[in-house]
Amino acid sequence: MTSTDALPTWRDGASKQAILGFIEQVVASGLPTEQRIATFDADGTLWCEQPIPVQLDFILRRLAEQATSDQTLRDRQPWKAAYEKDMGWLAAGVKEHYAGDDTKAKLLLAGVSAAFAGVEVEQFEALSGAFLRGTDHPTLGRGYTRTAYKPMLELLRYLETNGFTTLIVSGSGGDFMRSIAQEVFGIPPERVIGSASALEYASTEQGGAITHKGALAFLDDGAQKPIEIWNRIGRRPLIAGGNSNGDIPMLQFAGHPDRPCLGLLVNHDDAAREFAYGGAEKAIAEAGTRGWTVVSMKDDFATVFDD
């Protein structure tokens, strides 16, 4: 595929030209393929994250089930919000997190950690995959596995065609995303980095079991993203793509002065075809000083989803 045929669902404009120009520059430079690393956030970057992130929907249903069975949980957050379907409390927690206030986020994370305590990792993967393949998005009229952004999928494939290794680096759980990463994004599970629960191993006659301990090992957001990239692959990315203030450190990490780099920010400004919302104000402001490319969903995506 030549550059003139690439990214057909991207409208011609500055964003598309910045992407194609950067890839051509890297290829022409002869940079070894092992150094061609591209990391992308998932929620809001590769697929839809509104009105709530996909994994949050999955977890809230679990919490609601627990509160239905145990009425003592109904006055505790986040079980209370899940049981009462209080989307306002949950949305405020996410918004406040990106504004620097983690009061509600800490309560939510505690509930998230407890939701699957004692569940074996293979069982969790099966539950995640069944939910994702069998659940419709609450407003878009399509299944969750069909809410990936077609232009971003095209970008992933074009990068791979040009010798790049693509990775997902998500605030959602790594095990949750791995259950459908190959199917939805064309990225194998071993190239998924995400938040992680604390795990424990027990010897069994069936080959041993790994289970969730009911505690969070780390939240893969903000400064944790570049740390986990380094822990997993020991390289800086050349390309980093995100959509929120929580992606700023990952985009900064790609911007080392001794090599080329491309930072991408997906700006959700298309209420007609998807959603229009904030959470990236700091990132967009920093884009102006660091030369990151801000991708307008409204102006740069000729289509949003694969119909």
Side-chain angles (χ1 to χ4, degrees), residues 134-207:
T135 306
D136 286 343
H137 183 278
T139 65
L140 292 175
R142 59 179 59 234
Y144 272 132
T145 58
R146 296 180 56 239
T147 62
Y149 305 135
K150 188 172 183 179
M152 297 304 291
L153 296 180
E154 286 179 353
L155 176 56
L156 293 175
R157 302 291 82 78
Y158 190 60
L159 286 169
E160 291 160 1
T161 298
N162 285 278
F164 280 81
T165 298
T166 56
L167 295 96
I168 290 174
V169 184
S170 177
S172 290
D175 285 347
F176 181 78
M177 295 300 301
R178 288 186 193 102
S179 66
I180 48 81
Q182 182 73 63
E183 174 184 338
V184 175
F185 304 109
I187 294 179
E190 62 269 20
R191 298 209 312 257
V192 174
I193 301 171
S195 298
S197 299
L199 303 173
E200 61 183 353
Y201 174 81
S203 177
T204 70
E205 294 181 357
Q206 290 76 37

Side-chain angles (χ1 to χ4, degrees), residues 70-84:
D70 182 357
Q71 66 179 20
T72 64
L73 296 173
R74 296 176 193 175
D75 291 325
R76 292 173 54 193
Q77 294 289 18
W79 287 270
K80 184 176 188 294
Y83 183 73
E84 297 175 354

Side-chain angles (χ1 to χ4, degrees), residues 12-120:
D12 287 333
S15 294
K16 181 174 181 177
Q17 293 309 311
I19 293 168
L20 293 177
F22 179 79
I23 296 171
E24 290 173 1
Q25 175 191 356
V26 169
V27 172
S29 73
L31 192 73
T33 55
E34 60 269 22
Q35 296 182 31
R36 301 182 195 182
I37 305 295
T39 59
F40 292 89
D41 170 59
D43 299 320
T45 302
L46 297 181
W47 69 349
C48 185
E49 67 174 350
Q50 292 292 326
I52 57 173
V54 182
Q55 188 176 10
L56 185 54
D57 187 10
F58 174 61
I59 291 166
L60 291 177
R61 293 175 192 236
R62 173 82 168 189
L63 295 175
E65 290 173 1
Q66 291 176 329
T68 299
S69 300
D70 182 357
Q71 66 179 20
T72 64
L73 296 173
R74 296 176 193 175
D75 291 325
R76 292 173 54 193
Q77 294 289 18
W79 287 270
K80 184 176 188 294
Y83 183 73
E84 297 175 354
K85 296 182 172 59
D86 183 359
M87 294 299 109
W89 186 90
L90 296 161
V94 175
K95 183 177 180 180
E96 289 168 12
H97 165 69
Y98 285 118
D101 181 357
D102 279 341
T103 304
K104 289 187 178 70
K106 288 178 181 178
L107 289 174
L108 183 57
L109 287 172
V112 168
S113 300
F116 293 95
V119 174
E120 292 189 20

